[in-house]
Amino acid sequence: MGSGGLVVLDDRDCIVDISRFFTSFMQEESCGKCTFCRIGTRRMLEILDRICEGKGRPGDLELLEELGDRICRTSLCGLGQTAPNPVLTGLRYFREEFEIHLNEKRCPAGRCPALITYQINDACIGCTLCAQACPVDAIPFKPYEKHTIDDSLCTRCGMCLEACQDNAVEVV
Ligand code: SF4
Ligand code: SF4
Ligand code: SF4
């Protein structure tokens, strides 16, 4: 993926979010001399941001491809010439994941905060570990009772998921 580095991912990684991360890095590194590298990568990042926030628009994927192609062809140095590669290769091999974000407003890997919610299921034994782990007190402390998450407070940090030893915390 990208300019030749080897990145190992699994099904818990979101390809859209990863593409956004690399695009953000390239955008920051652009020296600004070439218009497409300077502004094109910024436009690509804006599109990826809105797709990850569930605000993607019809035609966004085609726009990403068009912008990426032009940035590759019109940039002076290797940075701009390879900057769109994470998105372009992501779209080539994992297009379905982009389409799910865009059309169903869903993140299959459960990584994009705006597209997921944390819930507690009936496997909860009321051990309180999740309530102790939550940094924003979104889980009321109720020993021996099924716990619940206040979605309005939850920041999607994932600490409760890590803390629970009974598979009672789910990302949906
Ligand atoms: S392609 Fe290279 S020279 Fe052109 S703006 Fe990007 S970093 Fe600068
Ligand atoms: S850590 Fe798991 S089992 Fe314990 S209270 Fe939280 S959800 Fe329930
Ligand atoms: S994801 Fe984080 S903020 Fe949300 S309930 Fe779990 S621990 Fe609290």
Side-chain angles (χ1 to χ4, degrees):
M1 190 177 199
S3 55
L6 183 64
V7 181
V8 180
L9 307 168
D10 65 16
D11 59 1
R12 291 166 296 176
D13 292 299
C14 171
I15 204 73
V16 186
D17 189 45
I18 295 286
S19 301
R20 178 171 65 156
F21 169 78
F22 280 112
T23 304
S24 170
F25 175 78
M26 292 301 201
Q27 211 282 314
E28 283 176 18
E29 291 296 311
S30 171
C31 78
K33 187 173 180 181
C34 315
T35 306
F36 268 99
C37 178
R38 182 179 74 247
I39 301 176
T41 53
R42 185 174 291 277
R43 292 290 95 86
M44 287 184 82
L45 185 57
E46 287 170 1
I47 294 168
L48 291 164
D49 278 343
R50 69 170 178 253
I51 291 174
C52 287
E53 288 166 6
K55 297 172 184 168
R57 303 170 192 159
D60 271 351
L61 303 189
E62 292 73 19
L63 191 53
L64 282 172
E65 288 172 325
E66 187 184 339
L67 274 169
D69 178 59
R70 291 199 189 179
I71 294 165
C72 287
R73 285 192 290 111
T74 60
S75 293
L76 279 177
C77 83
L79 188 139
Q81 288 159 6
T82 57
N85 284 357
V87 179
L88 295 177
T89 52
L91 277 166
R92 187 181 310 147
Y93 296 112
F94 302 97
R95 194 179 189 89
E96 190 187 344
E97 214 169 310
F98 282 82
E99 288 172 343
I100 291 172
H101 281 71
L102 192 67
N103 301 325
E104 300 176 27
K105 313 299 182 201
R106 196 163 62 77
C107 176
R111 304 292 284 206
C112 293
L115 303 180
I116 57 171
T117 54
Y118 283 79
Q119 290 180 358
I120 294 176
N121 63 32
D122 289 342
C124 176
I125 58 170
C127 71
T128 76
L129 285 176
C130 59
Q132 295 176 56
C134 181
V136 293
D137 295 331
I139 307 175
F141 188 78
K142 293 180 185 169
Y144 308 113
E145 290 181 35
K146 181 184 172 186
H147 281 47
T148 54
I149 294 174
D150 183 342
D151 192 53
S152 66
L153 297 177
C154 176
T155 59
R156 279 74 170 153
C157 72
M159 300 286 282
C160 53
L161 186 68
E162 280 181 32
C164 183
Q165 296 170 10
D166 295 276
N167 294 321
V169 180
E170 296 176 339
V171 181
V172 294

